[in-house]
Amino acid sequence: MTDMDTRRKTTESERLLEKAKAHLVDGVGSGTRSTRSGWLPSPVFVAEGHGSRLTDVDGNEYIDYQMGQGPLILGHRPQPVIDAVTETINQRGSLFALATDLEGEAATAVAARMPSVEVLRFGQSGTECVMYALRFARAGTGRNLIVRFEGHYHGWSDAIHWSAHPSLAEAGPADAPAVTPATTGIPPEVGESLLVLPWGDVEALEKAFDRHGDDIAGVILEPILGNCGGMMPPEGWLEKLREVTRDNGSRLIFDEVLTGLRVGPGGAQRLLGVEPDLTVMAKALAAGFPVAAIGGTAEAMEVVTEGKTMHGGTYNSNAVACAAVIATMAETGRAGFYEELVANGERLAEGLVSAARDAGVNAHWTGVGSMFQLWLSDEPPRSYRHAQELVAASPFPTLQREMLDRGVLLQPPQEGLFLSSGAHTGADTDEVLAVAREVMPIVADAIERGEVGPVGGVR
Ligand SMILES: Cc1ncc(COP(=O)(O)O)c(C=O)c1O
Protein backbone atom coordinates (compact mmCIF):
# COMPACT_ATOMS: atom_id res chain seq x y z
CA MET A 1 0.00 0.00 0.00
CA THR A 2 1.40 3.42 -0.88
CA ASP A 3 1.19 6.32 1.51
CA MET A 4 -1.61 7.79 -0.62
CA ASP A 5 -3.73 4.65 -0.13
CA THR A 6 -3.96 5.25 3.62
CA ARG A 7 -5.49 8.69 3.10
CA ARG A 8 -9.24 8.91 3.51
CA LYS A 9 -11.29 9.90 0.47
CA THR A 10 -12.30 13.55 0.41
CA THR A 11 -13.45 14.15 -3.18
CA GLU A 12 -17.13 14.65 -2.38
CA SER A 13 -16.39 16.79 0.69
CA GLU A 14 -14.15 19.03 -1.40
CA ARG A 15 -16.83 19.31 -4.09
CA LEU A 16 -19.49 20.25 -1.53
CA LEU A 17 -17.17 22.81 0.03
CA GLU A 18 -16.62 24.56 -3.30
CA LYS A 19 -20.35 24.45 -4.06
CA ALA A 20 -21.31 25.85 -0.66
CA LYS A 21 -18.83 28.71 -1.03
CA ALA A 22 -21.12 30.29 -3.64
CA HIS A 23 -23.44 31.60 -0.94
CA LEU A 24 -22.29 30.26 2.43
CA VAL A 25 -19.40 32.31 3.78
CA ASP A 26 -16.19 30.29 3.46
CA GLY A 27 -18.39 27.25 2.70
CA VAL A 28 -19.00 26.50 6.39
CA GLY A 29 -21.29 27.70 9.17
CA SER A 30 -18.63 28.48 11.78
CA GLY A 31 -14.96 29.44 11.77
CA THR A 32 -14.03 26.31 13.73
CA ARG A 33 -15.16 24.15 10.78
CA SER A 34 -13.04 26.03 8.26
CA THR A 35 -9.93 24.78 6.48
CA ARG A 36 -8.21 27.67 8.29
CA SER A 37 -8.88 25.86 11.56
CA GLY A 38 -6.94 22.83 10.35
CA TRP A 39 -9.63 20.75 8.62
CA LEU A 40 -7.52 19.75 5.63
CA PRO A 41 -7.89 19.25 2.74
CA SER A 42 -11.53 20.05 3.47
CA PRO A 43 -13.92 20.07 6.43
CA VAL A 44 -15.58 16.73 7.16
CA PHE A 45 -19.00 16.86 5.46
CA VAL A 46 -21.19 14.62 7.59
CA ALA A 47 -23.66 12.20 6.03
CA GLU A 48 -24.95 10.89 9.36
CA GLY A 49 -24.06 10.21 12.96
CA HIS A 50 -25.05 7.32 15.16
CA GLY A 51 -23.90 6.67 18.74
CA SER A 52 -20.15 7.30 18.91
CA ARG A 53 -19.73 7.22 15.13
CA LEU A 54 -19.96 9.52 12.14
CA THR A 55 -20.04 8.72 8.43
CA ASP A 56 -19.08 11.40 5.95
CA VAL A 57 -20.27 11.99 2.39
CA ASP A 58 -17.18 10.19 1.04
CA GLY A 59 -18.11 7.04 2.97
CA ASN A 60 -15.40 7.40 5.63
CA GLU A 61 -16.43 6.29 9.12
CA TYR A 62 -15.05 7.89 12.25
CA ILE A 63 -15.20 7.37 16.00
CA ASP A 64 -16.07 10.91 16.99
CA TYR A 65 -14.24 12.70 19.82
CA GLN A 66 -15.51 16.15 18.96
CA MET A 67 -19.11 15.26 19.82
CA GLY A 68 -20.54 18.46 18.41
CA GLN A 69 -17.95 20.43 20.45
CA GLY A 70 -19.37 18.98 23.65
CA PRO A 71 -23.17 18.75 23.62
CA LEU A 72 -23.52 15.12 22.50
CA ILE A 73 -23.15 13.59 25.94
CA LEU A 74 -25.39 10.67 24.88
CA GLY A 75 -23.83 10.26 21.43
CA HIS A 76 -25.41 10.97 18.08
CA ARG A 77 -29.18 10.51 17.79
CA PRO A 78 -29.92 9.35 21.36
CA GLN A 79 -33.27 7.62 20.96
CA PRO A 80 -34.89 8.65 24.27
CA VAL A 81 -34.18 12.33 23.57
CA ILE A 82 -35.27 12.11 19.93
CA ASP A 83 -38.48 10.34 21.05
CA ALA A 84 -39.22 12.95 23.73
CA VAL A 85 -38.68 15.81 21.28
CA THR A 86 -40.69 14.34 18.39
CA GLU A 87 -43.52 13.33 20.71
CA THR A 88 -43.64 16.85 22.13
CA ILE A 89 -43.73 18.40 18.66
CA ASN A 90 -46.36 15.97 17.39
CA GLN A 91 -48.61 16.21 20.42
CA ARG A 92 -48.14 19.83 21.48
CA GLY A 93 -46.13 21.96 19.07
CA SER A 94 -42.62 23.36 19.12
CA LEU A 95 -42.91 26.92 20.43
CA PHE A 96 -45.58 29.06 22.06
CA ALA A 97 -43.74 31.95 23.73
CA LEU A 98 -46.21 31.26 26.53
CA ALA A 99 -45.76 29.34 29.76
CA THR A 100 -45.90 25.53 29.79
CA ASP A 101 -45.49 22.93 32.51
CA LEU A 102 -42.37 21.71 30.71
CA GLU A 103 -40.38 24.83 31.66
CA GLY A 104 -40.66 24.31 35.39
CA GLU A 105 -40.06 20.58 35.03
CA ALA A 106 -36.86 21.15 33.03
CA ALA A 107 -35.64 23.81 35.50
CA THR A 108 -36.31 21.52 38.46
CA ALA A 109 -34.33 18.69 36.84
CA VAL A 110 -31.31 20.93 36.21
CA ALA A 111 -31.41 22.66 39.61
CA ALA A 112 -31.44 19.23 41.29
CA ARG A 113 -28.07 18.55 39.68
CA MET A 114 -26.13 21.77 40.17
CA PRO A 115 -25.41 22.45 43.86
CA SER A 116 -25.41 26.26 43.70
CA VAL A 117 -28.31 26.68 41.29
CA GLU A 118 -31.56 27.44 43.08
CA VAL A 119 -33.31 29.15 40.19
CA LEU A 120 -32.56 29.49 36.50
CA ARG A 121 -33.75 30.65 33.11
CA PHE A 122 -33.14 28.90 29.80
CA GLY A 123 -31.72 30.39 26.61
CA GLN A 124 -30.23 29.13 23.38
CA SER A 125 -26.48 29.60 23.45
CA GLY A 126 -23.64 29.79 25.92
CA THR A 127 -22.65 33.20 24.58
CA GLU A 128 -26.07 34.65 25.28
CA CYS A 129 -26.31 33.22 28.79
CA VAL A 130 -22.80 34.47 29.65
CA MET A 131 -23.93 37.97 28.62
CA TYR A 132 -26.89 37.63 30.96
CA ALA A 133 -24.63 36.44 33.78
CA LEU A 134 -22.49 39.58 33.41
CA ARG A 135 -25.62 41.75 33.35
CA PHE A 136 -27.06 40.10 36.46
CA ALA A 137 -23.73 40.46 38.29
CA ARG A 138 -23.56 44.17 37.44
CA ALA A 139 -27.21 44.78 38.23
CA GLY A 140 -27.03 42.89 41.54
CA THR A 141 -23.91 44.68 42.79
CA GLY A 142 -24.33 48.10 41.20
CA ARG A 143 -20.72 47.84 39.97
CA ASN A 144 -19.12 47.73 36.55
CA LEU A 145 -15.85 45.79 36.34
CA ILE A 146 -15.69 42.12 35.36
CA VAL A 147 -12.55 40.09 36.07
CA ARG A 148 -11.73 37.41 33.52
CA PHE A 149 -8.72 35.16 32.99
CA GLU A 150 -6.34 34.76 30.13
CA GLY A 151 -6.99 31.62 28.07
CA HIS A 152 -10.61 31.16 29.12
CA TYR A 153 -13.36 31.29 26.49
CA HIS A 154 -16.77 32.68 27.33
CA GLY A 155 -18.37 32.97 23.90
CA TRP A 156 -17.97 35.54 21.20
CA SER A 157 -19.85 38.61 22.49
CA ASP A 158 -18.33 42.09 22.49
CA ALA A 159 -18.82 42.07 26.26
CA ILE A 160 -16.30 39.33 27.07
CA HIS A 161 -14.46 38.09 23.97
CA TRP A 162 -11.22 39.73 25.10
CA SER A 163 -7.89 38.06 25.91
CA ALA A 164 -9.41 34.64 25.29
CA HIS A 165 -6.42 33.24 23.44
CA PRO A 166 -4.08 36.16 22.79
CA SER A 167 -0.81 35.61 20.95
CA LEU A 168 2.19 35.83 23.24
CA ALA A 169 3.22 38.96 21.34
CA GLU A 170 0.05 40.83 22.26
CA ALA A 171 -0.60 39.32 25.70
CA GLY A 172 1.43 41.87 27.72
CA PRO A 173 3.21 41.19 31.03
CA ALA A 174 2.50 37.76 32.55
CA ASP A 175 1.47 39.18 35.95
CA ALA A 176 -0.69 41.96 34.46
CA PRO A 177 -2.01 40.78 31.08
CA ALA A 178 -3.14 43.30 28.48
CA VAL A 179 -6.89 43.59 27.86
CA THR A 180 -6.85 42.52 24.23
CA PRO A 181 -9.88 42.21 21.92
CA ALA A 182 -10.07 38.67 20.55
CA THR A 183 -11.48 39.86 17.23
CA THR A 184 -11.73 43.00 15.18
CA GLY A 185 -15.04 44.83 15.30
CA ILE A 186 -15.40 45.26 19.07
CA PRO A 187 -15.75 48.84 20.39
CA PRO A 188 -12.48 49.57 22.24
CA GLU A 189 -14.26 51.19 25.19
CA VAL A 190 -15.82 47.82 26.13
CA GLY A 191 -12.36 46.74 27.27
CA GLU A 192 -12.50 49.38 30.01
CA SER A 193 -15.13 47.28 31.78
CA LEU A 194 -12.79 44.28 32.02
CA LEU A 195 -9.76 43.30 34.07
CA VAL A 196 -7.68 40.38 32.76
CA LEU A 197 -5.72 38.35 35.28
CA PRO A 198 -3.40 35.35 35.03
CA TRP A 199 -5.09 32.07 36.08
CA GLY A 200 -4.05 30.78 39.48
CA ASP A 201 -2.03 33.85 40.53
CA VAL A 202 -3.13 34.69 44.09
CA GLU A 203 -0.91 37.77 44.34
CA ALA A 204 -2.30 39.29 41.12
CA LEU A 205 -5.84 38.55 42.30
CA GLU A 206 -5.34 40.19 45.66
CA LYS A 207 -3.67 43.21 44.09
CA ALA A 208 -6.57 43.64 41.65
CA PHE A 209 -9.11 43.48 44.48
CA ASP A 210 -7.06 45.89 46.63
CA ARG A 211 -6.99 48.42 43.79
CA HIS A 212 -10.38 47.95 42.16
CA GLY A 213 -12.49 45.98 44.64
CA ASP A 214 -15.14 48.70 45.02
CA ASP A 215 -15.88 48.48 41.33
CA ILE A 216 -15.63 44.69 40.75
CA ALA A 217 -19.08 43.29 39.95
CA GLY A 218 -17.97 39.76 39.22
CA VAL A 219 -15.29 37.24 38.38
CA ILE A 220 -15.96 34.84 35.52
CA LEU A 221 -14.01 31.65 34.81
CA GLU A 222 -14.05 28.16 33.40
CA PRO A 223 -13.60 26.08 36.57
CA ILE A 224 -11.87 23.35 34.54
CA LEU A 225 -10.18 24.81 31.48
CA GLY A 226 -11.88 23.04 28.59
CA ASN A 227 -10.79 25.82 26.26
CA CYS A 228 -7.28 26.01 27.60
CA GLY A 229 -5.66 22.63 27.62
CA GLY A 230 -8.07 20.76 29.90
CA MET A 231 -6.16 22.15 32.86
CA MET A 232 -7.51 21.50 36.34
CA PRO A 233 -7.50 24.52 38.69
CA PRO A 234 -4.47 24.78 40.96
CA GLU A 235 -4.97 23.46 44.48
CA GLY A 236 -6.99 25.92 46.61
CA TRP A 237 -7.47 28.42 43.77
CA LEU A 238 -11.25 28.10 43.35
CA GLU A 239 -11.63 28.32 47.13
CA LYS A 240 -9.52 31.50 47.07
CA LEU A 241 -11.71 33.01 44.35
CA ARG A 242 -14.78 32.12 46.38
CA GLU A 243 -13.37 33.74 49.50
CA VAL A 244 -12.18 36.93 47.80
CA THR A 245 -15.42 37.49 45.86
CA ARG A 246 -17.59 36.78 48.90
CA ASP A 247 -15.56 39.14 51.12
CA ASN A 248 -15.78 41.84 48.47
CA GLY A 249 -19.47 41.45 47.68
CA SER A 250 -18.69 40.49 44.06
CA ARG A 251 -20.39 37.66 42.16
CA LEU A 252 -18.44 34.51 41.40
CA ILE A 253 -19.55 33.27 37.97
CA PHE A 254 -18.76 29.74 36.79
CA ASP A 255 -18.92 29.31 33.05
CA GLU A 256 -19.93 25.65 32.97
CA VAL A 257 -21.00 25.71 29.32
CA LEU A 258 -18.58 22.87 28.62
CA THR A 259 -18.08 21.29 32.06
CA GLY A 260 -21.64 21.38 33.41
CA LEU A 261 -23.37 18.01 33.00
CA ARG A 262 -20.19 16.65 31.35
CA VAL A 263 -17.44 16.29 33.97
CA GLY A 264 -19.89 14.81 36.47
CA PRO A 265 -23.57 14.88 37.37
CA GLY A 266 -23.33 18.32 38.97
CA GLY A 267 -20.68 19.90 36.78
CA ALA A 268 -17.30 21.14 37.98
CA GLN A 269 -18.87 22.81 41.01
CA ARG A 270 -20.00 19.52 42.48
CA LEU A 271 -16.82 17.71 41.43
CA LEU A 272 -14.54 20.35 42.96
CA GLY A 273 -16.76 21.37 45.86
CA VAL A 274 -16.90 25.14 45.25
CA GLU A 275 -20.20 26.91 44.74
CA PRO A 276 -20.44 30.08 42.65
CA ASP A 277 -23.20 32.71 42.80
CA LEU A 278 -24.06 32.42 39.10
CA THR A 279 -23.61 29.51 36.71
CA VAL A 280 -23.87 29.35 32.94
CA MET A 281 -24.73 25.96 31.46
CA ALA A 282 -25.22 24.75 27.88
CA LYS A 283 -23.91 21.97 25.63
CA ALA A 284 -24.47 18.65 27.49
CA LEU A 285 -27.63 20.14 29.00
CA ALA A 286 -29.75 18.98 26.07
CA ALA A 287 -27.72 16.28 24.29
CA GLY A 288 -27.44 18.14 20.99
CA PHE A 289 -30.42 20.51 20.99
CA PRO A 290 -29.60 24.22 21.25
CA VAL A 291 -30.29 24.97 24.90
CA ALA A 292 -28.35 26.99 27.46
CA ALA A 293 -29.18 28.27 30.93
CA ILE A 294 -28.21 30.99 33.37
CA GLY A 295 -28.90 30.18 36.99
CA GLY A 296 -27.70 30.83 40.49
CA THR A 297 -28.57 31.43 44.07
CA ALA A 298 -31.94 33.03 44.74
CA GLU A 299 -30.02 36.13 45.89
CA ALA A 300 -27.89 36.46 42.75
CA MET A 301 -30.93 35.94 40.51
CA GLU A 302 -33.15 38.28 42.54
CA VAL A 303 -32.67 41.15 40.08
CA VAL A 304 -34.53 39.06 37.50
CA THR A 305 -37.03 37.49 39.89
CA GLU A 306 -38.07 40.96 40.98
CA GLY A 307 -38.23 42.27 37.43
CA LYS A 308 -35.49 44.88 37.96
CA THR A 309 -33.24 43.51 35.23
CA MET A 310 -34.40 42.48 31.79
CA HIS A 311 -34.25 38.86 30.71
CA GLY A 312 -36.17 37.65 27.69
CA GLY A 313 -36.01 35.80 24.40
CA THR A 314 -38.59 34.51 21.93
CA TYR A 315 -37.15 31.01 21.90
CA ASN A 316 -36.38 30.70 25.63
CA SER A 317 -37.54 27.37 27.08
CA ASN A 318 -39.54 26.45 24.02
CA ALA A 319 -41.22 23.06 24.11
CA VAL A 320 -38.51 21.32 22.09
CA ALA A 321 -35.76 22.69 24.34
CA CYS A 322 -37.55 21.66 27.52
CA ALA A 323 -38.39 18.17 26.25
CA ALA A 324 -34.73 17.70 25.30
CA VAL A 325 -33.49 18.89 28.71
CA ILE A 326 -35.93 16.70 30.66
CA ALA A 327 -35.02 13.59 28.64
CA THR A 328 -31.27 14.34 28.84
CA MET A 329 -31.41 14.80 32.60
CA ALA A 330 -33.27 11.48 32.92
CA GLU A 331 -30.79 9.60 30.72
CA THR A 332 -27.63 11.06 32.23
CA GLY A 333 -29.19 10.70 35.68
CA ARG A 334 -29.10 6.90 35.45
CA ALA A 335 -27.02 5.30 38.21
CA GLY A 336 -23.43 4.86 37.12
CA PHE A 337 -23.71 6.98 33.95
CA TYR A 338 -20.93 9.42 34.80
CA GLU A 339 -18.74 6.85 36.54
CA GLU A 340 -18.69 4.76 33.37
CA LEU A 341 -18.23 7.75 31.07
CA VAL A 342 -15.29 9.07 33.07
CA ALA A 343 -13.68 5.64 33.56
CA ASN A 344 -13.85 4.87 29.81
CA GLY A 345 -12.26 8.23 29.05
CA GLU A 346 -9.51 7.73 31.61
CA ARG A 347 -8.64 4.35 30.13
CA LEU A 348 -8.40 5.99 26.72
CA ALA A 349 -6.27 8.85 28.05
CA GLU A 350 -3.87 6.50 29.86
CA GLY A 351 -3.66 4.25 26.79
CA LEU A 352 -2.86 7.17 24.48
CA VAL A 353 -0.11 8.36 26.80
CA SER A 354 1.38 4.82 26.86
CA ALA A 355 1.14 4.46 23.08
CA ALA A 356 2.96 7.77 22.66
CA ARG A 357 5.67 7.00 25.18
CA ASP A 358 6.26 3.53 23.70
CA ALA A 359 6.97 5.27 20.39
CA GLY A 360 9.43 7.59 22.10
CA VAL A 361 7.08 10.59 22.26
CA ASN A 362 6.70 12.02 25.75
CA ALA A 363 3.03 12.57 26.65
CA HIS A 364 0.63 13.57 29.41
CA TRP A 365 -3.07 14.05 29.80
CA THR A 366 -5.00 16.70 31.70
CA GLY A 367 -8.66 17.18 32.64
CA VAL A 368 -11.23 14.51 33.45
CA GLY A 369 -12.08 11.33 31.55
CA SER A 370 -15.09 12.80 29.73
CA MET A 371 -13.13 15.92 28.71
CA PHE A 372 -9.39 15.46 28.55
CA GLN A 373 -6.51 16.86 26.60
CA LEU A 374 -3.58 14.83 25.31
CA TRP A 375 -0.24 16.64 25.49
CA LEU A 376 2.60 15.37 23.31
CA SER A 377 5.19 17.24 25.33
CA ASP A 378 7.73 16.72 28.10
CA GLU A 379 5.42 18.21 30.71
CA PRO A 380 1.76 19.17 31.02
CA PRO A 381 0.92 22.89 30.80
CA ARG A 382 1.12 25.07 33.90
CA SER A 383 -0.60 28.15 32.48
CA TYR A 384 -2.12 29.59 29.32
CA ARG A 385 1.22 30.99 28.20
CA HIS A 386 3.01 27.75 28.92
CA ALA A 387 0.31 25.89 26.96
CA GLN A 388 0.92 28.18 23.98
CA GLU A 389 4.63 27.40 24.11
CA LEU A 390 3.89 23.67 24.17
CA VAL A 391 1.48 23.99 21.25
CA ALA A 392 4.11 25.82 19.21
CA ALA A 393 6.33 22.74 19.50
CA SER A 394 3.57 20.14 19.25
CA PRO A 395 3.24 17.48 16.54
CA PHE A 396 -0.55 17.49 17.03
CA PRO A 397 -1.32 18.35 13.37
CA THR A 398 0.34 15.06 12.34
CA LEU A 399 -1.52 13.13 15.04
CA GLN A 400 -4.85 14.66 14.05
CA ARG A 401 -4.37 13.99 10.33
CA GLU A 402 -3.12 10.42 10.75
CA MET A 403 -5.89 9.55 13.24
CA LEU A 404 -8.51 11.06 10.94
CA ASP A 405 -7.21 8.99 8.03
CA ARG A 406 -7.66 5.91 10.21
CA GLY A 407 -11.16 6.75 11.41
CA VAL A 408 -10.65 8.71 14.65
CA LEU A 409 -11.96 12.26 14.61
CA LEU A 410 -10.29 14.92 16.80
CA GLN A 411 -11.01 18.61 16.43
CA PRO A 412 -7.90 20.38 15.09
CA PRO A 413 -8.53 23.81 16.61
CA GLN A 414 -8.70 22.29 20.06
CA GLU A 415 -5.22 20.74 19.94
CA GLY A 416 -5.94 17.30 21.39
CA LEU A 417 -9.13 17.81 23.39
CA PHE A 418 -11.11 14.56 23.62
CA LEU A 419 -14.84 14.89 24.30
CA SER A 420 -16.59 11.54 24.66
CA SER A 421 -20.12 10.35 25.37
CA GLY A 422 -22.11 7.60 27.04
CA ALA A 423 -22.34 5.99 23.59
CA HIS A 424 -18.56 5.40 23.42
CA THR A 425 -17.85 1.79 24.30
CA GLY A 426 -14.85 -0.10 25.61
CA ALA A 427 -14.54 -1.55 22.10
CA ASP A 428 -14.25 2.01 20.71
CA THR A 429 -11.44 2.66 23.16
CA ASP A 430 -9.63 -0.53 22.10
CA GLU A 431 -9.98 0.47 18.44
CA VAL A 432 -8.65 3.97 19.04
CA LEU A 433 -5.70 2.65 21.03
CA ALA A 434 -4.83 0.22 18.23
CA VAL A 435 -4.89 3.15 15.80
CA ALA A 436 -2.77 5.22 18.20
CA ARG A 437 -0.10 2.48 18.27
CA GLU A 438 0.11 2.70 14.46
CA VAL A 439 0.15 6.48 14.41
CA MET A 440 2.55 7.37 17.25
CA PRO A 441 5.69 6.18 15.39
CA ILE A 442 4.62 8.46 12.51
CA VAL A 443 4.27 11.28 15.04
CA ALA A 444 7.75 10.48 16.37
CA ASP A 445 9.12 10.78 12.80
CA ALA A 446 7.33 14.12 12.37
CA ILE A 447 9.02 15.45 15.52
CA GLU A 448 12.36 14.19 14.20
CA ARG A 449 11.78 16.16 10.99
CA GLY A 450 10.72 19.27 12.95
CA GLU A 451 7.14 19.11 11.66
CA VAL A 452 5.55 20.78 14.67
CA GLY A 453 3.48 23.85 15.37
CA PRO A 454 -0.02 25.02 16.03
CA VAL A 455 -3.12 24.47 13.92
CA GLY A 456 -5.43 26.72 15.83
CA GLY A 457 -3.43 27.19 19.02
CA VAL A 458 -4.71 26.03 22.36
CA ARG A 459 -8.39 26.88 22.64
C1 LIG B 1 -16.76 27.60 28.28
C2 LIG B 1 -17.57 28.13 27.15
N1 LIG B 1 -18.30 29.24 27.34
C3 LIG B 1 -19.08 29.77 26.37
C4 LIG B 1 -19.13 29.18 25.14
C5 LIG B 1 -20.01 29.77 24.07
O1 LIG B 1 -21.12 28.95 23.89
P1 LIG B 1 -21.94 28.97 22.51
O2 LIG B 1 -21.03 28.46 21.45
O3 LIG B 1 -23.12 28.08 22.79
O4 LIG B 1 -22.35 30.38 22.29
C6 LIG B 1 -18.38 28.02 24.88
C7 LIG B 1 -18.40 27.39 23.55
O5 LIG B 1 -17.60 26.58 23.20
C8 LIG B 1 -17.59 27.48 25.92
O6 LIG B 1 -16.85 26.38 25.74
Side-chain angles (χ1 to χ4, degrees), residues 200-217:
D201 185 334
V202 172
E203 205 181 313
L205 179 76
E206 286 177 342
K207 208 188 277 178
F209 271 82
D210 282 349
R211 284 203 191 138
H212 305 286
D214 288 350
D215 200 28
I216 295 177

Side-chain angles (χ1 to χ4, degrees), residues 217-233:
V219 176
I220 187 167
L221 55 123
E222 287 186 71
I224 299 173
L225 305 190
N227 291 284
C228 186
M231 279 186 276
M232 299 300 282

